[in-house]
Amino acid sequence: MIALLAGLLWMPAGALAVGASEAPAAPPAAVASPTPAPAAASAHDDLGFARSLYDEGDYYRAIGEAKRFVYFHPEDARADEAKLLVGMSYLAGGQWVAAAAALEPIVSRGLPGKVGADAAFALADTRMGAGDYDLAALEFRRFGEDYPEDARAALSALRMGWARMFAADVLASLDAKKGRAAFTEAARELDAIPVSSPEHARAVRLAAGSRRIAGLSYKHPALAGAMSAVIPGAGQVYAGRWKDGLIAFFVNSLFIGGAVESYLKGNTVASGILVLFEMGWYTGNIYSAVNSAHRTNDEHRAALLKDLKKDLYVRAAPIAGPHGGGAVAILGGTF
């Protein structure tokens, strides 16, 4: 017994420490499970909201929501539809450059089906709105060739004719002879629309109107200027602006008469001053005659085009809402 007690007294302190460390550890504190995040809205819901904004006419918010959809769902099957909605919203807002930038990548891929057709027609309308009429005509022609079964195929041919006529109007304002030739060519293209087309009746009337514009009696600006150079105001009268012609004749006559009378009375200084003023009025009279001829021609064309637009100018817009389903709205008016 004495020996056993002595051995315990001489046991190393480390052994006691080890023994103490082998005591059972306290159980770990329980870890709280995180609160589940709310389920994200579905891609369908996101795009549906963008469409509803478009239908309400809130185009710029529709653009933002459609872009958000593409950002969060780039691989979704409706990503191209969202990109189309961006382009159509820009188009509806009159932002031609932005609309073209959004629509061109879709059209360049030649997508089949409704999205591709809607993008192609919207791009053609964008060209029309931007005043790029020659390119618009090409886009409408391409639409008819690529989507012959689309409900807007016949309308695209009529719109192509309008684009040709608008281009001819711009050309006629610069060169009357070339403008007349362009209107005649536009009429020929409208004549090519087949009798079976739903737009044949409109095309016939529009072709007749284009030929009527081509046959207008144009006032020659150079001739008007020459006439006013000989007799101030004569060019304005030739252009059909009698009031401007009479004013030009009266004012120039006063300056010429005053200059002659001052010279005959020996007042050469006053005569010289009046001659300087008369030179300005005389030159302005010639410029006014040339401009009067241009304005008369432009007004005659504009009046005929306005009458044609009342009955024959239509455009188509795909219904972009959730229940559009490829339906087409036929709308009047112009861009």
Side-chain angles (χ1 to χ4, degrees):
M1 179 65 69
I2 295 174
L4 179 59
L5 290 173
L8 290 174
L9 291 174
W10 285 96
M11 182 179 291
L16 295 173
V18 170
S21 65
E22 292 178 352
V31 179
S33 60
T35 303
S42 69
H44 178 77
D45 293 339
D46 291 343
L47 188 55
F49 181 54
R51 286 169 173 166
S52 68
L53 291 172
Y54 177 89
D55 291 340
E56 293 170 3
D58 196 347
Y59 303 122
Y60 295 105
R61 288 184 64 200
I63 291 169
E65 292 299 327
K67 286 184 175 181
R68 186 195 306 274
F69 177 90
V70 175
Y71 180 81
F72 285 108
H73 312 286
E75 304 300 326
D76 191 277
R78 292 178 298 276
D80 286 326
E81 188 178 342
K83 294 175 184 177
L84 170 62
L85 188 58
V86 171
M88 290 176 57
S89 296
Y90 278 127
L91 171 61
Q95 301 296 315
W96 316 122
V97 175
L103 294 168
E104 283 172 351
I106 305 174
V107 175
S108 64
R109 291 163 55 195
L111 297 176
K114 180 180 182 298
V115 172
D118 287 353
F121 201 93
L123 181 59
D125 266 346
T126 297
R127 305 298 191 198
M128 187 82 94
D132 196 346
Y133 301 122
D134 288 325
L135 189 53
L138 293 176
E139 296 286 2
F140 281 121
R141 180 190 293 277
R142 185 181 304 164
F143 178 88
E145 293 171 351
D146 293 345
Y147 305 97
E149 303 302 322
D150 190 277
R152 295 159 292 185
L155 185 59
S156 69
L158 187 69
R159 294 279 284 165
M160 181 184 67
W162 268 112
R164 294 297 188 197
M165 290 179 66
F166 288 150
D169 184 51
V170 174
L171 184 58
S173 66
L174 304 174
D175 188 312
K177 184 176 181 180
K178 291 182 179 179
R180 287 196 295 269
F183 274 111
T184 301
E185 181 60 29
R188 290 197 192 100
E189 292 199 24
L190 287 163
D191 287 337
I193 296 178
V195 178
S196 59
S197 170
E199 298 297 334
H200 176 72
R202 280 197 183 102
V204 170
R205 294 166 60 193
L206 190 58
S210 188
R211 288 193 176 89
R212 191 159 65 250
I213 295 174
L216 281 174
S217 177
Y218 280 83
K219 304 298 182 181
H220 298 278
L223 178 59
M227 291 176 67
S228 282
V230 176
I231 302 176
Q236 288 88 329
V237 173
Y238 161 74
R241 300 181 179 276
W242 288 85
K243 182 178 178 180
D244 293 344
L246 291 174
I247 292 175
F249 180 80
F250 179 73
V251 172
N252 280 275
S253 297
L254 285 179
F255 276 106
I256 292 173
V260 171
E261 183 178 356
S262 296
Y263 179 79
L264 293 177
K265 289 183 178 181
N267 193 346
T268 56
V269 175
S271 177
I273 292 174
L274 289 172
V275 167
L276 289 176
F277 276 104
E278 167 56 18
M279 289 175 64
W281 278 101
Y282 179 76
T283 303
N285 148 73
I286 297 173
Y287 174 81
S288 173
V290 173
N291 189 49
S292 293
H294 280 299
R295 282 191 297 166
T296 297
N297 293 335
D298 292 345
E299 287 171 1
H300 287 171
R301 288 196 316 277
L304 282 176
L305 282 171
K306 183 178 180 180
D307 288 340
L308 291 172
K309 287 178 184 177
K310 289 179 181 178
D311 299 323
L312 303 177
Y313 191 93
V314 293
R315 61 188 178 92
I319 300 175
H323 305 295
V328 175
I330 305 300
L331 310 172
T334 63
F335 282 113

PDB file of all heavy atoms in Angstrom, residues 233-264:
ATOM      1  N   GLY A 233     -40.270  90.728-111.382  1.00  0.00           N
ATOM      2  CA  GLY A 233     -41.588  90.241-110.999  1.00  0.00           C
ATOM      3  C   GLY A 233     -42.222  89.323-112.021  1.00  0.00           C
ATOM      4  O   GLY A 233     -43.178  88.605-111.696  1.00  0.00           O
ATOM      5  N   ALA A 234     -41.704  89.313-113.252  1.00  0.00           N
ATOM      6  CA  ALA A 234     -42.323  88.483-114.294  1.00  0.00           C
ATOM      7  C   ALA A 234     -42.179  86.992-113.977  1.00  0.00           C
ATOM      8  O   ALA A 234     -43.089  86.198-114.250  1.00  0.00           O
ATOM      9  CB  ALA A 234     -41.696  88.800-115.653  1.00  0.00           C
ATOM     10  N   GLY A 235     -41.046  86.598-113.410  1.00  0.00           N
ATOM     11  CA  GLY A 235     -40.829  85.190-113.072  1.00  0.00           C
ATOM     12  C   GLY A 235     -41.776  84.708-111.988  1.00  0.00           C
ATOM     13  O   GLY A 235     -42.268  83.570-112.028  1.00  0.00           O
ATOM     14  N   GLN A 236     -42.061  85.587-111.024  1.00  0.00           N
ATOM     15  CA  GLN A 236     -43.000  85.217-109.968  1.00  0.00           C
ATOM     16  C   GLN A 236     -44.410  85.030-110.533  1.00  0.00           C
ATOM     17  O   GLN A 236     -45.145  84.124-110.127  1.00  0.00           O
ATOM     18  CB  GLN A 236     -43.008  86.291-108.873  1.00  0.00           C
ATOM     19  CG  GLN A 236     -41.762  86.313-108.011  1.00  0.00           C
ATOM     20  CD  GLN A 236     -40.662  87.192-108.576  1.00  0.00           C
ATOM     21  OE1 GLN A 236     -40.550  87.341-109.787  1.00  0.00           O
ATOM     22  NE2 GLN A 236     -39.842  87.762-107.705  1.00  0.00           N
ATOM     23  N   VAL A 237     -44.788  85.909-111.470  1.00  0.00           N
ATOM     24  CA  VAL A 237     -46.100  85.785-112.101  1.00  0.00           C
ATOM     25  C   VAL A 237     -46.178  84.479-112.887  1.00  0.00           C
ATOM     26  O   VAL A 237     -47.195  83.763-112.841  1.00  0.00           O
ATOM     27  CB  VAL A 237     -46.368  86.992-113.020  1.00  0.00           C
ATOM     28  CG1 VAL A 237     -47.664  86.783-113.815  1.00  0.00           C
ATOM     29  CG2 VAL A 237     -46.464  88.273-112.195  1.00  0.00           C
ATOM     30  N   TYR A 238     -45.113  84.146-113.610  1.00  0.00           N
ATOM     31  CA  TYR A 238     -45.051  82.881-114.348  1.00  0.00           C
ATOM     32  C   TYR A 238     -45.229  81.675-113.419  1.00  0.00           C
ATOM     33  O   TYR A 238     -45.887  80.686-113.781  1.00  0.00           O
ATOM     34  CB  TYR A 238     -43.710  82.805-115.086  1.00  0.00           C
ATOM     35  CG  TYR A 238     -43.301  81.411-115.514  1.00  0.00           C
ATOM     36  CD1 TYR A 238     -43.921  80.769-116.586  1.00  0.00           C
ATOM     37  CD2 TYR A 238     -42.283  80.745-114.841  1.00  0.00           C
ATOM     38  CE1 TYR A 238     -43.543  79.486-116.973  1.00  0.00           C
ATOM     39  CE2 TYR A 238     -41.895  79.462-115.226  1.00  0.00           C
ATOM     40  CZ  TYR A 238     -42.526  78.839-116.288  1.00  0.00           C
ATOM     41  OH  TYR A 238     -42.148  77.575-116.667  1.00  0.00           O
ATOM     42  N   ALA A 239     -44.672  81.777-112.210  1.00  0.00           N
ATOM     43  CA  ALA A 239     -44.775  80.690-111.234  1.00  0.00           C
ATOM     44  C   ALA A 239     -46.126  80.665-110.530  1.00  0.00           C
ATOM     45  O   ALA A 239     -46.367  79.794-109.684  1.00  0.00           O
ATOM     46  CB  ALA A 239     -43.660  80.803-110.195  1.00  0.00           C
ATOM     47  N   GLY A 240     -46.994  81.607-110.859  1.00  0.00           N
ATOM     48  CA  GLY A 240     -48.328  81.619-110.266  1.00  0.00           C
ATOM     49  C   GLY A 240     -48.425  82.419-108.991  1.00  0.00           C
ATOM     50  O   GLY A 240     -49.447  82.351-108.298  1.00  0.00           O
ATOM     51  N   ARG A 241     -47.409  83.214-108.692  1.00  0.00           N
ATOM     52  CA  ARG A 241     -47.420  84.026-107.462  1.00  0.00           C
ATOM     53  C   ARG A 241     -47.525  85.505-107.860  1.00  0.00           C
ATOM     54  O   ARG A 241     -46.540  86.240-107.866  1.00  0.00           O
ATOM     55  CB  ARG A 241     -46.165  83.741-106.640  1.00  0.00           C
ATOM     56  CG  ARG A 241     -46.076  82.272-106.229  1.00  0.00           C
ATOM     57  CD  ARG A 241     -44.861  81.951-105.393  1.00  0.00           C
ATOM     58  NE  ARG A 241     -44.855  80.550-105.022  1.00  0.00           N
ATOM     59  CZ  ARG A 241     -45.506  80.007-103.990  1.00  0.00           C
ATOM     60  NH1 ARG A 241     -46.229  80.786-103.201  1.00  0.00           N
ATOM     61  NH2 ARG A 241     -45.436  78.713-103.750  1.00  0.00           N
ATOM     62  N   TRP A 242     -48.750  85.869-108.168  1.00  0.00           N
ATOM     63  CA  TRP A 242     -49.016  87.212-108.667  1.00  0.00           C
ATOM     64  C   TRP A 242     -48.678  88.291-107.642  1.00  0.00           C
ATOM     65  O   TRP A 242     -48.114  89.351-107.994  1.00  0.00           O
ATOM     66  CB  TRP A 242     -50.488  87.320-109.064  1.00  0.00           C
ATOM     67  CG  TRP A 242     -50.811  86.574-110.314  1.00  0.00           C
ATOM     68  CD1 TRP A 242     -51.116  85.253-110.424  1.00  0.00           C
ATOM     69  CD2 TRP A 242     -50.834  87.103-111.630  1.00  0.00           C
ATOM     70  NE1 TRP A 242     -51.328  84.917-111.735  1.00  0.00           N
ATOM     71  CE2 TRP A 242     -51.172  86.032-112.508  1.00  0.00           C
ATOM     72  CE3 TRP A 242     -50.619  88.376-112.175  1.00  0.00           C
ATOM     73  CZ2 TRP A 242     -51.285  86.209-113.880  1.00  0.00           C
ATOM     74  CZ3 TRP A 242     -50.734  88.549-113.542  1.00  0.00           C
ATOM     75  CH2 TRP A 242     -51.066  87.472-114.389  1.00  0.00           C
ATOM     76  N   LYS A 243     -49.015  88.063-106.419  1.00  0.00           N
ATOM     77  CA  LYS A 243     -48.754  89.069-105.387  1.00  0.00           C
ATOM     78  C   LYS A 243     -47.262  89.348-105.264  1.00  0.00           C
ATOM     79  O   LYS A 243     -46.843  90.524-105.231  1.00  0.00           O
ATOM     80  CB  LYS A 243     -49.312  88.595-104.044  1.00  0.00           C
ATOM     81  CG  LYS A 243     -49.142  89.588-102.924  1.00  0.00           C
ATOM     82  CD  LYS A 243     -49.758  89.052-101.634  1.00  0.00           C
ATOM     83  CE  LYS A 243     -49.548  90.037-100.488  1.00  0.00           C
ATOM     84  NZ  LYS A 243     -50.152  89.536 -99.212  1.00  0.00           N
ATOM     85  N   ASP A 244     -46.450  88.290-105.201  1.00  0.00           N
ATOM     86  CA  ASP A 244     -45.000  88.474-105.099  1.00  0.00           C
ATOM     87  C   ASP A 244     -44.464  89.188-106.337  1.00  0.00           C
ATOM     88  O   ASP A 244     -43.549  90.018-106.245  1.00  0.00           O
ATOM     89  CB  ASP A 244     -44.304  87.123-104.951  1.00  0.00           C
ATOM     90  CG  ASP A 244     -44.620  86.449-103.622  1.00  0.00           C
ATOM     91  OD1 ASP A 244     -45.113  87.144-102.712  1.00  0.00           O
ATOM     92  OD2 ASP A 244     -44.374  85.227-103.503  1.00  0.00           O
ATOM     93  N   GLY A 245     -45.028  88.862-107.505  1.00  0.00           N
ATOM     94  CA  GLY A 245     -44.569  89.496-108.734  1.00  0.00           C
ATOM     95  C   GLY A 245     -44.861  90.982-108.758  1.00  0.00           C
ATOM     96  O   GLY A 245     -44.009  91.789-109.160  1.00  0.00           O
ATOM     97  N   LEU A 246     -46.062  91.359-108.325  1.00  0.00           N
ATOM     98  CA  LEU A 246     -46.427  92.772-108.321  1.00  0.00           C
ATOM     99  C   LEU A 246     -45.579  93.569-107.328  1.00  0.00           C
ATOM    100  O   LEU A 246     -45.157  94.710-107.615  1.00  0.00           O
ATOM    101  CB  LEU A 246     -47.908  92.928-107.988  1.00  0.00           C
ATOM    102  CG  LEU A 246     -48.892  92.428-109.061  1.00  0.00           C
ATOM    103  CD1 LEU A 246     -50.324  92.504-108.555  1.00  0.00           C
ATOM    104  CD2 LEU A 246     -48.733  93.248-110.343  1.00  0.00           C
ATOM    105  N   ILE A 247     -45.305  92.987-106.164  1.00  0.00           N
ATOM    106  CA  ILE A 247     -44.463  93.666-105.173  1.00  0.00           C
ATOM    107  C   ILE A 247     -43.058  93.856-105.722  1.00  0.00           C
ATOM    108  O   ILE A 247     -42.455  94.944-105.584  1.00  0.00           O
ATOM    109  CB  ILE A 247     -44.433  92.864-103.863  1.00  0.00           C
ATOM    110  CG1 ILE A 247     -45.804  92.894-103.186  1.00  0.00           C
ATOM    111  CG2 ILE A 247     -43.363  93.402-102.920  1.00  0.00           C
ATOM    112  CD1 ILE A 247     -45.911  92.024-101.951  1.00  0.00           C
ATOM    113  N   ALA A 248     -42.499  92.809-106.354  1.00  0.00           N
ATOM    114  CA  ALA A 248     -41.152  92.905-106.911  1.00  0.00           C
ATOM    115  C   ALA A 248     -41.091  93.982-107.998  1.00  0.00           C
ATOM    116  O   ALA A 248     -40.142  94.772-108.054  1.00  0.00           O
ATOM    117  CB  ALA A 248     -40.717  91.550-107.477  1.00  0.00           C
ATOM    118  N   PHE A 249     -42.104  94.014-108.851  1.00  0.00           N
ATOM    119  CA  PHE A 249     -42.116  95.014-109.928  1.00  0.00           C
ATOM    120  C   PHE A 249     -42.220  96.433-109.356  1.00  0.00           C
ATOM    121  O   PHE A 249     -41.508  97.351-109.793  1.00  0.00           O
ATOM    122  CB  PHE A 249     -43.295  94.736-110.858  1.00  0.00           C
ATOM    123  CG  PHE A 249     -43.401  95.715-111.992  1.00  0.00           C
ATOM    124  CD1 PHE A 249     -42.594  95.580-113.119  1.00  0.00           C
ATOM    125  CD2 PHE A 249     -44.301  96.770-111.939  1.00  0.00           C
ATOM    126  CE1 PHE A 249     -42.684  96.491-114.166  1.00  0.00           C
ATOM    127  CE2 PHE A 249     -44.393  97.684-112.973  1.00  0.00           C
ATOM    128  CZ  PHE A 249     -43.589  97.547-114.100  1.00  0.00           C
ATOM    129  N   PHE A 250     -43.089  96.630-108.362  1.00  0.00           N
ATOM    130  CA  PHE A 250     -43.310  97.956-107.782  1.00  0.00           C
ATOM    131  C   PHE A 250     -42.050  98.472-107.069  1.00  0.00           C
ATOM    132  O   PHE A 250     -41.624  99.620-107.289  1.00  0.00           O
ATOM    133  CB  PHE A 250     -44.484  97.887-106.812  1.00  0.00           C
ATOM    134  CG  PHE A 250     -44.800  99.185-106.141  1.00  0.00           C
ATOM    135  CD1 PHE A 250     -45.404 100.219-106.836  1.00  0.00           C
ATOM    136  CD2 PHE A 250     -44.486  99.384-104.793  1.00  0.00           C
ATOM    137  CE1 PHE A 250     -45.689 101.429-106.214  1.00  0.00           C
ATOM    138  CE2 PHE A 250     -44.766 100.587-104.174  1.00  0.00           C
ATOM    139  CZ  PHE A 250     -45.372 101.608-104.881  1.00  0.00           C
ATOM    140  N   VAL A 251     -41.439  97.652-106.242  1.00  0.00           N
ATOM    141  CA  VAL A 251     -40.267  98.080-105.480  1.00  0.00           C
ATOM    142  C   VAL A 251     -39.093  98.379-106.408  1.00  0.00           C
ATOM    143  O   VAL A 251     -38.409  99.413-106.267  1.00  0.00           O
ATOM    144  CB  VAL A 251     -39.881  97.002-104.440  1.00  0.00           C
ATOM    145  CG1 VAL A 251     -38.541  97.356-103.779  1.00  0.00           C
ATOM    146  CG2 VAL A 251     -40.967  96.877-103.385  1.00  0.00           C
ATOM    147  N   ASN A 252     -38.835  97.493-107.369  1.00  0.00           N
ATOM    148  CA  ASN A 252     -37.727  97.726-108.296  1.00  0.00           C
ATOM    149  C   ASN A 252     -37.963  98.967-109.144  1.00  0.00           C
ATOM    150  O   ASN A 252     -37.024  99.716-109.442  1.00  0.00           O
ATOM    151  CB  ASN A 252     -37.524  96.502-109.195  1.00  0.00           C
ATOM    152  CG  ASN A 252     -36.744  95.392-108.505  1.00  0.00           C
ATOM    153  OD1 ASN A 252     -35.510  95.386-108.501  1.00  0.00           O
ATOM    154  ND2 ASN A 252     -37.467  94.451-107.901  1.00  0.00           N
ATOM    155  N   SER A 253     -39.218  99.188-109.535  1.00  0.00           N
ATOM    156  CA  SER A 253     -39.542 100.381-110.323  1.00  0.00           C
ATOM    157  C   SER A 253     -39.267 101.651-109.528  1.00  0.00           C
ATOM    158  O   SER A 253     -38.754 102.652-110.069  1.00  0.00           O
ATOM    159  CB  SER A 253     -41.007 100.334-110.768  1.00  0.00           C
ATOM    160  OG  SER A 253     -41.230  99.226-111.608  1.00  0.00           O
ATOM    161  N   LEU A 254     -39.606 101.649-108.245  1.00  0.00           N
ATOM    162  CA  LEU A 254     -39.359 102.817-107.406  1.00  0.00           C
ATOM    163  C   LEU A 254     -37.872 103.140-107.331  1.00  0.00           C
ATOM    164  O   LEU A 254     -37.462 104.311-107.480  1.00  0.00           O
ATOM    165  CB  LEU A 254     -39.922 102.583-106.002  1.00  0.00           C
ATOM    166  CG  LEU A 254     -41.443 102.674-105.827  1.00  0.00           C
ATOM    167  CD1 LEU A 254     -41.815 102.384-104.381  1.00  0.00           C
ATOM    168  CD2 LEU A 254     -41.935 104.079-106.221  1.00  0.00           C
ATOM    169  N   PHE A 255     -37.049 102.138-107.097  1.00  0.00           N
ATOM    170  CA  PHE A 255     -35.607 102.376-106.977  1.00  0.00           C
ATOM    171  C   PHE A 255     -35.012 102.825-108.310  1.00  0.00           C
ATOM    172  O   PHE A 255     -34.178 103.748-108.355  1.00  0.00           O
ATOM    173  CB  PHE A 255     -34.892 101.113-106.480  1.00  0.00           C
ATOM    174  CG  PHE A 255     -34.923 100.956-104.993  1.00  0.00           C
ATOM    175  CD1 PHE A 255     -35.752 100.023-104.397  1.00  0.00           C
ATOM    176  CD2 PHE A 255     -34.128 101.750-104.174  1.00  0.00           C
ATOM    177  CE1 PHE A 255     -35.789  99.889-103.016  1.00  0.00           C
ATOM    178  CE2 PHE A 255     -34.157 101.622-102.798  1.00  0.00           C
ATOM    179  CZ  PHE A 255     -34.997 100.680-102.211  1.00  0.00           C
ATOM    180  N   ILE A 256     -35.427 102.196-109.400  1.00  0.00           N
ATOM    181  CA  ILE A 256     -34.887 102.577-110.708  1.00  0.00           C
ATOM    182  C   ILE A 256     -35.327 103.998-111.068  1.00  0.00           C
ATOM    183  O   ILE A 256     -34.518 104.833-111.526  1.00  0.00           O
ATOM    184  CB  ILE A 256     -35.352 101.587-111.797  1.00  0.00           C
ATOM    185  CG1 ILE A 256     -34.712 100.216-111.563  1.00  0.00           C
ATOM    186  CG2 ILE A 256     -34.986 102.107-113.192  1.00  0.00           C
ATOM    187  CD1 ILE A 256     -35.234  99.120-112.470  1.00  0.00           C
ATOM    188  N   GLY A 257     -36.620 104.278-110.846  1.00  0.00           N
ATOM    189  CA  GLY A 257     -37.118 105.615-111.146  1.00  0.00           C
ATOM    190  C   GLY A 257     -36.433 106.677-110.294  1.00  0.00           C
ATOM    191  O   GLY A 257     -36.064 107.758-110.782  1.00  0.00           O
ATOM    192  N   GLY A 258     -36.245 106.391-108.991  1.00  0.00           N
ATOM    193  CA  GLY A 258     -35.576 107.361-108.121  1.00  0.00           C
ATOM    194  C   GLY A 258     -34.139 107.592-108.516  1.00  0.00           C
ATOM    195  O   GLY A 258     -33.646 108.740-108.463  1.00  0.00           O
ATOM    196  N   ALA A 259     -33.439 106.547-108.907  1.00  0.00           N
ATOM    197  CA  ALA A 259     -32.039 106.693-109.306  1.00  0.00           C
ATOM    198  C   ALA A 259     -31.922 107.531-110.569  1.00  0.00           C
ATOM    199  O   ALA A 259     -31.048 108.403-110.681  1.00  0.00           O
ATOM    200  CB  ALA A 259     -31.422 105.306-109.524  1.00  0.00           C
ATOM    201  N   VAL A 260     -32.808 107.302-111.536  1.00  0.00           N
ATOM    202  CA  VAL A 260     -32.769 108.063-112.795  1.00  0.00           C
ATOM    203  C   VAL A 260     -33.095 109.519-112.536  1.00  0.00           C
ATOM    204  O   VAL A 260     -32.427 110.448-113.050  1.00  0.00           O
ATOM    205  CB  VAL A 260     -33.759 107.444-113.806  1.00  0.00           C
ATOM    206  CG1 VAL A 260     -33.897 108.364-115.029  1.00  0.00           C
ATOM    207  CG2 VAL A 260     -33.297 106.056-114.233  1.00  0.00           C
ATOM    208  N   GLU A 261     -34.128 109.762-111.745  1.00  0.00           N
ATOM    209  CA  GLU A 261     -34.526 111.142-111.467  1.00  0.00           C
ATOM    210  C   GLU A 261     -33.411 111.902-110.731  1.00  0.00           C
ATOM    211  O   GLU A 261     -33.124 113.068-111.040  1.00  0.00           O
ATOM    212  CB  GLU A 261     -35.808 111.152-110.649  1.00  0.00           C
ATOM    213  CG  GLU A 261     -36.330 112.554-110.371  1.00  0.00           C
ATOM    214  CD  GLU A 261     -37.633 112.540-109.605  1.00  0.00           C
ATOM    215  OE1 GLU A 261     -38.166 111.433-109.365  1.00  0.00           O
ATOM    216  OE2 GLU A 261     -38.105 113.631-109.237  1.00  0.00           O
ATOM    217  N   SER A 262     -32.774 111.254-109.761  1.00  0.00           N
ATOM    218  CA  SER A 262     -31.684 111.909-109.031  1.00  0.00           C
ATOM    219  C   SER A 262     -30.519 112.218-109.961  1.00  0.00           C
ATOM    220  O   SER A 262     -29.877 113.289-109.860  1.00  0.00           O
ATOM    221  CB  SER A 262     -31.211 111.002-107.886  1.00  0.00           C
ATOM    222  OG  SER A 262     -32.241 110.811-106.945  1.00  0.00           O
ATOM    223  N   TYR A 263     -30.223 111.332-110.880  1.00  0.00           N
ATOM    224  CA  TYR A 263     -29.113 111.561-111.810  1.00  0.00           C
ATOM    225  C   TYR A 263     -29.414 112.730-112.738  1.00  0.00           C
ATOM    226  O   TYR A 263     -28.552 113.586-113.007  1.00  0.00           O
ATOM    227  CB  TYR A 263     -28.861 110.293-112.622  1.00  0.00           C
ATOM    228  CG  TYR A 263     -27.747 110.438-113.617  1.00  0.00           C
ATOM    229  CD1 TYR A 263     -26.403 110.360-113.217  1.00  0.00           C
ATOM    230  CD2 TYR A 263     -28.031 110.671-114.969  1.00  0.00           C
ATOM    231  CE1 TYR A 263     -25.384 110.508-114.141  1.00  0.00           C
ATOM    232  CE2 TYR A 263     -27.007 110.819-115.887  1.00  0.00           C
ATOM    233  CZ  TYR A 263     -25.690 110.743-115.466  1.00  0.00           C
ATOM    234  OH  TYR A 263     -24.672 110.899-116.386  1.00  0.00           O
ATOM    235  N   LEU A 264     -30.665 112.767-113.241  1.00  0.00           N
ATOM    236  CA  LEU A 264     -31.036 113.856-114.150  1.00  0.00           C
ATOM    237  C   LEU A 264     -31.008 115.208-113.446  1.00  0.00           C
ATOM    238  O   LEU A 264     -30.762 116.246-114.087  1.00  0.00           O
ATOM    239  CB  LEU A 264     -32.438 113.594-114.716  1.00  0.00           C
ATOM    240  CG  LEU A 264     -32.546 112.377-115.666  1.00  0.00           C
ATOM    241  CD1 LEU A 264     -33.997 112.180-116.088  1.00  0.00           C
ATOM    242  CD2 LEU A 264     -31.638 112.574-116.890  1.00  0.00           C
TER     243      LEU A 264
END
